[in-house]
PDB file of all heavy atoms in Angstrom:
ATOM      1  N   ALA A 201      16.705  21.929 -21.898  1.00  0.00           N
ATOM      2  CA  ALA A 201      15.541  21.152 -21.884  1.00  0.00           C
ATOM      3  C   ALA A 201      15.336  20.350 -23.222  1.00  0.00           C
ATOM      4  O   ALA A 201      14.668  19.328 -23.170  1.00  0.00           O
ATOM      5  CB  ALA A 201      14.268  21.986 -21.641  1.00  0.00           C
ATOM      6  N   VAL A 202      16.030  20.774 -24.241  1.00  0.00           N
ATOM      7  CA  VAL A 202      15.919  20.077 -25.518  1.00  0.00           C
ATOM      8  C   VAL A 202      16.289  18.567 -25.440  1.00  0.00           C
ATOM      9  O   VAL A 202      15.783  17.745 -26.143  1.00  0.00           O
ATOM     10  CB  VAL A 202      16.748  20.777 -26.626  1.00  0.00           C
ATOM     11  CG1 VAL A 202      18.233  20.591 -26.389  1.00  0.00           C
ATOM     12  CG2 VAL A 202      16.347  20.272 -27.969  1.00  0.00           C
ATOM     13  N   SER A 203      17.219  18.282 -24.466  1.00  0.00           N
ATOM     14  CA  SER A 203      17.668  16.934 -24.342  1.00  0.00           C
ATOM     15  C   SER A 203      16.642  16.056 -23.721  1.00  0.00           C
ATOM     16  O   SER A 203      16.748  14.777 -23.731  1.00  0.00           O
ATOM     17  CB  SER A 203      18.944  16.897 -23.478  1.00  0.00           C
ATOM     18  OG  SER A 203      18.719  17.283 -22.164  1.00  0.00           O
ATOM     19  N   ALA A 204      15.548  16.590 -23.142  1.00  0.00           N
ATOM     20  CA  ALA A 204      14.463  15.810 -22.500  1.00  0.00           C
ATOM     21  C   ALA A 204      13.373  15.493 -23.467  1.00  0.00           C
ATOM     22  O   ALA A 204      12.389  14.927 -23.031  1.00  0.00           O
ATOM     23  CB  ALA A 204      14.002  16.537 -21.293  1.00  0.00           C
ATOM     24  N   PHE A 205      13.520  15.832 -24.739  1.00  0.00           N
ATOM     25  CA  PHE A 205      12.450  15.502 -25.710  1.00  0.00           C
ATOM     26  C   PHE A 205      13.032  14.778 -26.904  1.00  0.00           C
ATOM     27  O   PHE A 205      14.085  15.119 -27.422  1.00  0.00           O
ATOM     28  CB  PHE A 205      11.863  16.869 -26.272  1.00  0.00           C
ATOM     29  CG  PHE A 205      11.089  17.615 -25.226  1.00  0.00           C
ATOM     30  CD1 PHE A 205      11.753  18.493 -24.375  1.00  0.00           C
ATOM     31  CD2 PHE A 205       9.722  17.445 -25.060  1.00  0.00           C
ATOM     32  CE1 PHE A 205      11.070  19.247 -23.412  1.00  0.00           C
ATOM     33  CE2 PHE A 205       9.054  18.165 -24.043  1.00  0.00           C
ATOM     34  CZ  PHE A 205       9.726  19.068 -23.234  1.00  0.00           C
ATOM     35  N   VAL A 206      12.309  13.710 -27.301  1.00  0.00           N
ATOM     36  CA  VAL A 206      12.747  12.874 -28.418  1.00  0.00           C
ATOM     37  C   VAL A 206      11.568  12.898 -29.459  1.00  0.00           C
ATOM     38  O   VAL A 206      10.423  12.655 -29.102  1.00  0.00           O
ATOM     39  CB  VAL A 206      13.033  11.469 -28.002  1.00  0.00           C
ATOM     40  CG1 VAL A 206      13.339  10.575 -29.209  1.00  0.00           C
ATOM     41  CG2 VAL A 206      14.179  11.399 -26.976  1.00  0.00           C
ATOM     42  N   ALA A 207      11.917  13.264 -30.673  1.00  0.00           N
ATOM     43  CA  ALA A 207      10.872  13.346 -31.760  1.00  0.00           C
ATOM     44  C   ALA A 207      10.289  11.984 -32.020  1.00  0.00           C
ATOM     45  O   ALA A 207      10.992  11.010 -32.136  1.00  0.00           O
ATOM     46  CB  ALA A 207      11.505  13.963 -32.998  1.00  0.00           C
ATOM     47  N   ARG A 208       8.956  11.992 -32.195  1.00  0.00           N
ATOM     48  CA  ARG A 208       8.257  10.779 -32.756  1.00  0.00           C
ATOM     49  C   ARG A 208       7.174  11.303 -33.668  1.00  0.00           C
ATOM     50  O   ARG A 208       6.063  11.707 -33.227  1.00  0.00           O
ATOM     51  CB  ARG A 208       7.640  10.015 -31.571  1.00  0.00           C
ATOM     52  CG  ARG A 208       7.039   8.683 -32.081  1.00  0.00           C
ATOM     53  CD  ARG A 208       6.748   7.689 -30.985  1.00  0.00           C
ATOM     54  NE  ARG A 208       5.659   8.022 -30.146  1.00  0.00           N
ATOM     55  CZ  ARG A 208       5.162   7.307 -29.200  1.00  0.00           C
ATOM     56  NH1 ARG A 208       5.789   6.147 -28.855  1.00  0.00           N
ATOM     57  NH2 ARG A 208       4.149   7.666 -28.454  1.00  0.00           N
ATOM     58  N   GLY A 209       7.434  11.190 -34.936  1.00  0.00           N
ATOM     59  CA  GLY A 209       6.590  11.794 -35.949  1.00  0.00           C
ATOM     60  C   GLY A 209       6.503  13.308 -35.788  1.00  0.00           C
ATOM     61  O   GLY A 209       7.541  13.961 -35.642  1.00  0.00           O
ATOM     62  N   ASP A 210       5.287  13.852 -35.741  1.00  0.00           N
ATOM     63  CA  ASP A 210       5.103  15.283 -35.419  1.00  0.00           C
ATOM     64  C   ASP A 210       4.983  15.599 -33.975  1.00  0.00           C
ATOM     65  O   ASP A 210       4.611  16.723 -33.605  1.00  0.00           O
ATOM     66  CB  ASP A 210       3.969  15.869 -36.277  1.00  0.00           C
ATOM     67  CG  ASP A 210       2.666  15.187 -35.920  1.00  0.00           C
ATOM     68  OD1 ASP A 210       2.606  14.183 -35.169  1.00  0.00           O
ATOM     69  OD2 ASP A 210       1.626  15.696 -36.401  1.00  0.00           O
ATOM     70  N   LYS A 211       5.161  14.582 -33.120  1.00  0.00           N
ATOM     71  CA  LYS A 211       5.043  14.775 -31.645  1.00  0.00           C
ATOM     72  C   LYS A 211       6.442  14.534 -31.035  1.00  0.00           C
ATOM     73  O   LYS A 211       7.412  14.303 -31.700  1.00  0.00           O
ATOM     74  CB  LYS A 211       4.042  13.767 -31.083  1.00  0.00           C
ATOM     75  CG  LYS A 211       2.678  13.818 -31.691  1.00  0.00           C
ATOM     76  CD  LYS A 211       1.891  15.018 -31.155  1.00  0.00           C
ATOM     77  CE  LYS A 211       0.450  14.931 -31.598  1.00  0.00           C
ATOM     78  NZ  LYS A 211      -0.382  16.017 -31.049  1.00  0.00           N
ATOM     79  N   TYR A 212       6.445  14.639 -29.652  1.00  0.00           N
ATOM     80  CA  TYR A 212       7.638  14.364 -28.970  1.00  0.00           C
ATOM     81  C   TYR A 212       7.333  13.548 -27.694  1.00  0.00           C
ATOM     82  O   TYR A 212       6.277  13.631 -27.127  1.00  0.00           O
ATOM     83  CB  TYR A 212       8.253  15.749 -28.456  1.00  0.00           C
ATOM     84  CG  TYR A 212       8.862  16.577 -29.589  1.00  0.00           C
ATOM     85  CD1 TYR A 212       8.072  17.488 -30.269  1.00  0.00           C
ATOM     86  CD2 TYR A 212      10.220  16.398 -29.936  1.00  0.00           C
ATOM     87  CE1 TYR A 212       8.617  18.212 -31.339  1.00  0.00           C
ATOM     88  CE2 TYR A 212      10.725  17.168 -30.967  1.00  0.00           C
ATOM     89  CZ  TYR A 212       9.973  18.074 -31.653  1.00  0.00           C
ATOM     90  OH  TYR A 212      10.470  18.783 -32.684  1.00  0.00           O
ATOM     91  N   LEU A 213       8.326  12.737 -27.301  1.00  0.00           N
ATOM     92  CA  LEU A 213       8.262  12.024 -26.060  1.00  0.00           C
ATOM     93  C   LEU A 213       9.011  12.895 -25.050  1.00  0.00           C
ATOM     94  O   LEU A 213      10.197  13.239 -25.257  1.00  0.00           O
ATOM     95  CB  LEU A 213       8.986  10.628 -26.189  1.00  0.00           C
ATOM     96  CG  LEU A 213       8.285   9.715 -27.161  1.00  0.00           C
ATOM     97  CD1 LEU A 213       9.139   8.360 -27.299  1.00  0.00           C
ATOM     98  CD2 LEU A 213       6.852   9.405 -26.803  1.00  0.00           C
ATOM     99  N   ALA A 214       8.341  13.240 -23.976  1.00  0.00           N
ATOM    100  CA  ALA A 214       8.837  14.133 -22.986  1.00  0.00           C
ATOM    101  C   ALA A 214       9.277  13.399 -21.756  1.00  0.00           C
ATOM    102  O   ALA A 214       8.519  12.627 -21.180  1.00  0.00           O
ATOM    103  CB  ALA A 214       7.849  15.222 -22.638  1.00  0.00           C
ATOM    104  N   ASN A 215      10.459  13.649 -21.209  1.00  0.00           N
ATOM    105  CA  ASN A 215      10.989  12.989 -20.027  1.00  0.00           C
ATOM    106  C   ASN A 215      10.776  13.976 -18.866  1.00  0.00           C
ATOM    107  O   ASN A 215      11.624  14.827 -18.553  1.00  0.00           O
ATOM    108  CB  ASN A 215      12.478  12.746 -20.223  1.00  0.00           C
ATOM    109  CG  ASN A 215      13.042  11.795 -19.157  1.00  0.00           C
ATOM    110  OD1 ASN A 215      12.648  11.892 -18.001  1.00  0.00           O
ATOM    111  ND2 ASN A 215      13.934  10.926 -19.569  1.00  0.00           N
ATOM    112  N   LEU A 216       9.691  13.794 -18.153  1.00  0.00           N
ATOM    113  CA  LEU A 216       9.318  14.688 -16.996  1.00  0.00           C
ATOM    114  C   LEU A 216      10.374  14.610 -15.909  1.00  0.00           C
ATOM    115  O   LEU A 216      10.750  15.615 -15.375  1.00  0.00           O
ATOM    116  CB  LEU A 216       7.932  14.367 -16.526  1.00  0.00           C
ATOM    117  CG  LEU A 216       6.727  15.041 -17.186  1.00  0.00           C
ATOM    118  CD1 LEU A 216       5.458  14.567 -16.507  1.00  0.00           C
ATOM    119  CD2 LEU A 216       6.873  16.545 -17.219  1.00  0.00           C
ATOM    120  N   PRO A 217      10.753  13.380 -15.493  1.00  0.00           N
ATOM    121  CA  PRO A 217      11.776  13.328 -14.441  1.00  0.00           C
ATOM    122  C   PRO A 217      13.052  14.049 -14.794  1.00  0.00           C
ATOM    123  O   PRO A 217      13.624  14.720 -13.958  1.00  0.00           O
ATOM    124  CB  PRO A 217      12.004  11.819 -14.204  1.00  0.00           C
ATOM    125  CG  PRO A 217      10.701  11.197 -14.649  1.00  0.00           C
ATOM    126  CD  PRO A 217      10.247  12.055 -15.810  1.00  0.00           C
ATOM    127  N   GLN A 218      13.496  13.970 -16.042  1.00  0.00           N
ATOM    128  CA  GLN A 218      14.700  14.593 -16.471  1.00  0.00           C
ATOM    129  C   GLN A 218      14.474  16.155 -16.472  1.00  0.00           C
ATOM    130  O   GLN A 218      15.418  16.904 -15.997  1.00  0.00           O
ATOM    131  CB  GLN A 218      15.075  14.187 -17.850  1.00  0.00           C
ATOM    132  CG  GLN A 218      16.433  14.855 -18.368  1.00  0.00           C
ATOM    133  CD  GLN A 218      16.827  14.361 -19.783  1.00  0.00           C
ATOM    134  OE1 GLN A 218      16.277  13.348 -20.255  1.00  0.00           O
ATOM    135  NE2 GLN A 218      17.644  15.163 -20.450  1.00  0.00           N
ATOM    136  N   LEU A 219      13.345  16.620 -16.861  1.00  0.00           N
ATOM    137  CA  LEU A 219      13.080  18.054 -16.807  1.00  0.00           C
ATOM    138  C   LEU A 219      13.053  18.531 -15.403  1.00  0.00           C
ATOM    139  O   LEU A 219      13.608  19.677 -15.095  1.00  0.00           O
ATOM    140  CB  LEU A 219      11.686  18.337 -17.467  1.00  0.00           C
ATOM    141  CG  LEU A 219      11.690  18.130 -18.963  1.00  0.00           C
ATOM    142  CD1 LEU A 219      10.253  18.148 -19.511  1.00  0.00           C
ATOM    143  CD2 LEU A 219      12.437  19.330 -19.637  1.00  0.00           C
ATOM    144  N   ALA A 220      12.539  17.784 -14.447  1.00  0.00           N
ATOM    145  CA  ALA A 220      12.555  18.179 -13.075  1.00  0.00           C
ATOM    146  C   ALA A 220      13.952  18.204 -12.476  1.00  0.00           C
ATOM    147  O   ALA A 220      14.369  19.111 -11.741  1.00  0.00           O
ATOM    148  CB  ALA A 220      11.617  17.270 -12.228  1.00  0.00           C
ATOM    149  N   PHE A 221      14.698  17.189 -12.878  1.00  0.00           N
ATOM    150  CA  PHE A 221      16.136  17.106 -12.468  1.00  0.00           C
ATOM    151  C   PHE A 221      16.915  18.345 -12.934  1.00  0.00           C
ATOM    152  O   PHE A 221      17.627  18.965 -12.173  1.00  0.00           O
ATOM    153  CB  PHE A 221      16.754  15.835 -12.961  1.00  0.00           C
ATOM    154  CG  PHE A 221      18.140  15.517 -12.445  1.00  0.00           C
ATOM    155  CD1 PHE A 221      18.304  14.771 -11.380  1.00  0.00           C
ATOM    156  CD2 PHE A 221      19.270  16.148 -13.066  1.00  0.00           C
ATOM    157  CE1 PHE A 221      19.594  14.466 -10.889  1.00  0.00           C
ATOM    158  CE2 PHE A 221      20.539  15.888 -12.570  1.00  0.00           C
ATOM    159  CZ  PHE A 221      20.673  15.055 -11.474  1.00  0.00           C
ATOM    160  N   GLN A 222      16.666  18.702 -14.195  1.00  0.00           N
ATOM    161  CA  GLN A 222      17.297  19.881 -14.722  1.00  0.00           C
ATOM    162  C   GLN A 222      16.976  21.192 -13.955  1.00  0.00           C
ATOM    163  O   GLN A 222      17.806  22.004 -13.636  1.00  0.00           O
ATOM    164  CB  GLN A 222      16.989  20.038 -16.226  1.00  0.00           C
ATOM    165  CG  GLN A 222      17.571  19.019 -17.099  1.00  0.00           C
ATOM    166  CD  GLN A 222      17.038  19.132 -18.536  1.00  0.00           C
ATOM    167  OE1 GLN A 222      16.073  19.813 -18.838  1.00  0.00           O
ATOM    168  NE2 GLN A 222      17.664  18.388 -19.479  1.00  0.00           N
ATOM    169  N   ARG A 223      15.658  21.317 -13.676  1.00  0.00           N
ATOM    170  CA  ARG A 223      15.199  22.534 -12.984  1.00  0.00           C
ATOM    171  C   ARG A 223      15.762  22.553 -11.528  1.00  0.00           C
ATOM    172  O   ARG A 223      16.245  23.639 -11.101  1.00  0.00           O
ATOM    173  CB  ARG A 223      13.629  22.461 -12.884  1.00  0.00           C
ATOM    174  CG  ARG A 223      12.926  22.684 -14.195  1.00  0.00           C
ATOM    175  CD  ARG A 223      13.071  24.131 -14.679  1.00  0.00           C
ATOM    176  NE  ARG A 223      12.332  24.391 -15.912  1.00  0.00           N
ATOM    177  CZ  ARG A 223      11.202  25.131 -15.924  1.00  0.00           C
ATOM    178  NH1 ARG A 223      10.673  25.647 -14.841  1.00  0.00           N
ATOM    179  NH2 ARG A 223      10.535  25.332 -17.059  1.00  0.00           N
ATOM    180  N   LEU A 224      15.794  21.428 -10.856  1.00  0.00           N
ATOM    181  CA  LEU A 224      16.323  21.431  -9.527  1.00  0.00           C
ATOM    182  C   LEU A 224      17.811  21.666  -9.484  1.00  0.00           C
ATOM    183  O   LEU A 224      18.352  22.421  -8.636  1.00  0.00           O
ATOM    184  CB  LEU A 224      16.037  20.114  -8.809  1.00  0.00           C
ATOM    185  CG  LEU A 224      14.531  19.891  -8.527  1.00  0.00           C
ATOM    186  CD1 LEU A 224      14.307  18.435  -8.072  1.00  0.00           C
ATOM    187  CD2 LEU A 224      14.056  20.864  -7.391  1.00  0.00           C
ATOM    188  N   SER A 225      18.555  21.107 -10.445  1.00  0.00           N
ATOM    189  CA  SER A 225      19.932  21.275 -10.579  1.00  0.00           C
ATOM    190  C   SER A 225      20.337  22.756 -10.843  1.00  0.00           C
ATOM    191  O   SER A 225      21.236  23.289 -10.265  1.00  0.00           O
ATOM    192  CB  SER A 225      20.535  20.389 -11.697  1.00  0.00           C
ATOM    193  OG  SER A 225      20.372  19.059 -11.366  1.00  0.00           O
ATOM    194  N   ALA A 226      19.521  23.403 -11.707  1.00  0.00           N
ATOM    195  CA  ALA A 226      19.705  24.805 -12.001  1.00  0.00           C
ATOM    196  C   ALA A 226      19.537  25.690 -10.802  1.00  0.00           C
ATOM    197  O   ALA A 226      20.133  26.770 -10.746  1.00  0.00           O
ATOM    198  CB  ALA A 226      18.803  25.229 -13.157  1.00  0.00           C
ATOM    199  N   LEU A 227      18.730  25.228  -9.914  1.00  0.00           N
ATOM    200  CA  LEU A 227      18.509  25.990  -8.624  1.00  0.00           C
ATOM    201  C   LEU A 227      19.642  25.818  -7.647  1.00  0.00           C
ATOM    202  O   LEU A 227      19.689  26.585  -6.663  1.00  0.00           O
ATOM    203  CB  LEU A 227      17.202  25.582  -7.961  1.00  0.00           C
ATOM    204  CG  LEU A 227      15.910  25.965  -8.750  1.00  0.00           C
ATOM    205  CD1 LEU A 227      14.717  25.237  -8.135  1.00  0.00           C
ATOM    206  CD2 LEU A 227      15.722  27.425  -8.827  1.00  0.00           C
ATOM    207  N   GLY A 228      20.484  24.830  -7.846  1.00  0.00           N
ATOM    208  CA  GLY A 228      21.622  24.631  -7.008  1.00  0.00           C
ATOM    209  C   GLY A 228      21.547  23.323  -6.155  1.00  0.00           C
ATOM    210  O   GLY A 228      22.439  23.072  -5.373  1.00  0.00           O
ATOM    211  N   LEU A 229      20.519  22.535  -6.405  1.00  0.00           N
ATOM    212  CA  LEU A 229      20.411  21.247  -5.645  1.00  0.00           C
ATOM    213  C   LEU A 229      21.383  20.276  -6.272  1.00  0.00           C
ATOM    214  O   LEU A 229      21.525  20.201  -7.470  1.00  0.00           O
ATOM    215  CB  LEU A 229      19.001  20.649  -5.686  1.00  0.00           C
ATOM    216  CG  LEU A 229      18.021  21.180  -4.664  1.00  0.00           C
ATOM    217  CD1 LEU A 229      17.512  22.609  -5.046  1.00  0.00           C
ATOM    218  CD2 LEU A 229      16.815  20.172  -4.530  1.00  0.00           C
ATOM    219  N   THR A 230      22.124  19.564  -5.452  1.00  0.00           N
ATOM    220  CA  THR A 230      23.092  18.562  -5.905  1.00  0.00           C
ATOM    221  C   THR A 230      22.763  17.158  -5.491  1.00  0.00           C
ATOM    222  O   THR A 230      23.332  16.177  -6.052  1.00  0.00           O
ATOM    223  CB  THR A 230      24.488  18.935  -5.369  1.00  0.00           C
ATOM    224  OG1 THR A 230      24.480  18.940  -3.936  1.00  0.00           O
ATOM    225  CG2 THR A 230      24.954  20.262  -5.890  1.00  0.00           C
ATOM    226  N   GLN A 231      21.854  17.003  -4.519  1.00  0.00           N
ATOM    227  CA  GLN A 231      21.471  15.660  -4.031  1.00  0.00           C
ATOM    228  C   GLN A 231      20.052  15.369  -4.505  1.00  0.00           C
ATOM    229  O   GLN A 231      19.068  15.675  -3.709  1.00  0.00           O
ATOM    230  CB  GLN A 231      21.661  15.583  -2.524  1.00  0.00           C
ATOM    231  CG  GLN A 231      23.065  15.723  -2.090  1.00  0.00           C
ATOM    232  CD  GLN A 231      23.329  15.350  -0.657  1.00  0.00           C
ATOM    233  OE1 GLN A 231      22.927  14.308  -0.189  1.00  0.00           O
ATOM    234  NE2 GLN A 231      23.926  16.268   0.076  1.00  0.00           N
ATOM    235  N   ILE A 232      19.850  14.882  -5.697  1.00  0.00           N
ATOM    236  CA  ILE A 232      18.527  14.585  -6.276  1.00  0.00           C
ATOM    237  C   ILE A 232      18.438  13.113  -6.561  1.00  0.00           C
ATOM    238  O   ILE A 232      19.292  12.592  -7.300  1.00  0.00           O
ATOM    239  CB  ILE A 232      18.370  15.425  -7.517  1.00  0.00           C
ATOM    240  CG1 ILE A 232      18.632  16.915  -7.296  1.00  0.00           C
ATOM    241  CG2 ILE A 232      16.920  15.183  -8.069  1.00  0.00           C
ATOM    242  CD1 ILE A 232      18.726  17.733  -8.573  1.00  0.00           C
ATOM    243  N   THR A 233      17.454  12.479  -5.934  1.00  0.00           N
ATOM    244  CA  THR A 233      17.301  11.030  -6.235  1.00  0.00           C
ATOM    245  C   THR A 233      16.065  10.780  -7.088  1.00  0.00           C
ATOM    246  O   THR A 233      15.010  11.290  -6.804  1.00  0.00           O
ATOM    247  CB  THR A 233      17.117  10.321  -4.882  1.00  0.00           C
ATOM    248  OG1 THR A 233      18.230  10.519  -4.042  1.00  0.00           O
ATOM    249  CG2 THR A 233      16.887   8.824  -5.058  1.00  0.00           C
ATOM    250  N   LEU A 234      16.203  10.027  -8.178  1.00  0.00           N
ATOM    251  CA  LEU A 234      15.113   9.668  -9.005  1.00  0.00           C
ATOM    252  C   LEU A 234      14.644   8.186  -8.697  1.00  0.00           C
ATOM    253  O   LEU A 234      15.478   7.338  -8.529  1.00  0.00           O
ATOM    254  CB  LEU A 234      15.509   9.793 -10.484  1.00  0.00           C
ATOM    255  CG  LEU A 234      15.729  11.163 -10.989  1.00  0.00           C
ATOM    256  CD1 LEU A 234      17.169  11.557 -10.906  1.00  0.00           C
ATOM    257  CD2 LEU A 234      15.278  11.300 -12.428  1.00  0.00           C
ATOM    258  N   SER A 235      13.338   8.007  -8.641  1.00  0.00           N
ATOM    259  CA  SER A 235      12.843   6.683  -8.317  1.00  0.00           C
ATOM    260  C   SER A 235      12.901   5.738  -9.538  1.00  0.00           C
ATOM    261  O   SER A 235      12.981   4.516  -9.375  1.00  0.00           O
ATOM    262  CB  SER A 235      11.390   6.782  -7.859  1.00  0.00           C
ATOM    263  OG  SER A 235      10.536   7.142  -8.934  1.00  0.00           O
TER     264      SER A 235
END
Side-chain angles (χ1 to χ4, degrees):
V202 70
S203 65
F205 294 87
V206 175
R208 185 164 75 176
D210 60 351
K211 303 282 188 178
Y212 289 88
L213 298 178
N215 192 323
L216 277 180
Q218 182 179 342
L219 288 165
F221 188 94
Q222 291 173 349
R223 290 291 184 107
L224 292 170
S225 296
L227 292 170
L229 279 75
T230 59
Q231 297 191 52
I232 307 167
T233 302
L234 290 93
S235 70

